Each structure stands twice: as C-alpha cells, then as structure tokens.
Amino acid sequence: VQLQASGGGLVQPGGSLRLSCAASGLTLDDYTIGWFRQAPGAGREAVSCVDSGNVRKWYADSAKGRFTISRVDTKNTIYLQMDSLKPEDTAVYFCAADLSPNLCVSGRGYPISYRGQGTQVTVSS
C-alpha cells in the first residue's frame, strides 16, 4: 500500500497550492481519507477529512474557509486545495486513509492505518 503526496512547495502568504495524494494497493472509496500536517517541533495535526461516502467533510478551525478537500475515487486520488495561505500553514502535509469515520477527531495518538510520506509546504515572503 502506498499513498504518495505531491504538490507542496514554497508560496508567498496569500497564495494557493493544490496537494494531491495518489493511492495504490488499496481502494480509497472504502476508506475515510484525510490530510494531516506536522510542523517542526509540533505534533501531528488533523487538517481535513472526508468520509467514504463523500458526504461528511471535517475541517480544522484553522482550515475552515480556506482549504477544500475532495476525492476522486475513480482515480484513487484525493486533493487538498489550499487558498489564502499563511506562514503558520508551513508544515509537512501527508495524506491518510482509515476505516474509522472519526479519523480526524481521534487524537494525535490514533494509529492511522495508512499514511503517506508527506510533502513540504512553506509559506514565506
């Protein structure tokens, strides 16, 4: 099983990035999928999740109104559109998949079933 995230980079404050996560070895439409991030010296933070039925979407308060999660199960790919980026959004972002519908709210210690290696997002002028 592999979750490969891409799309990170260096962007100025106020800019946008679109992260992608391509899955292989599992069928994403069976899973709740999500994006997490981890800044240097900080713990894992849930950013956004969407359930297997693509019905319920969850966003961290810091992401509401700026980030949009989507999934294209026919492509086995998930996306995170990030707009109005701020320096505090700087982190390694990784995608994850789990059978639990509470993936994003299960706490930092929750053992995520599948996670990718991550892509660096740096917001700086």
Side-chain angles (χ1 to χ4, degrees):
V1 174
Q2 187 174 18
L3 298 174
Q4 184 63 53
S6 60
L10 173 63
V11 64
Q12 292 186 341
S16 298
L17 284 173
R18 188 193 194 206
L19 305 184
S20 301
C21 176
S24 59
L26 79 166
T27 303
L28 279 182
D29 59 5
D30 294 333
Y31 293 84
T32 294
I33 54 89
W35 289 95
F36 293 75
R37 67 187 183 187
Q38 188 161 9
R44 184 180 81 197
E45 178 186 8
V47 177
S48 182
C49 285
V50 56
D51 68 2
S52 60
N54 200 27
V55 175
R56 293 191 304 165
K57 295 183 179 181
W58 180 94
Y59 293 94
D61 288 343
S62 58
K64 288 178 181 176
R66 301 188 299 126
F67 294 1
T68 303
I69 191 171
S70 59
R71 62 190 297 163
V72 181
D73 291 335
T74 54
K75 294 184 177 181
N76 230 25
T77 301
I78 63 173
Y79 303 94
L80 185 69
Q81 177 67 40
M82 304 189 295
D83 299 317
S84 302
L85 283 162
K86 304 175 182 179
E88 51 264 43
D89 294 319
T90 296
V92 174
Y93 286 70
F94 64 91
C95 52
D98 198 274
L99 290 174
S100 171
N102 300 314
L103 173 60
C104 267
V105 297
S106 295
R108 292 180 175 180
Y110 180 77
I112 298 173
S113 294
Y114 304 105
R115 56 167 287 177
Q117 288 185 319
T119 184
Q120 176 69 46
V121 171
T122 302
V123 185
S124 175
S125 55

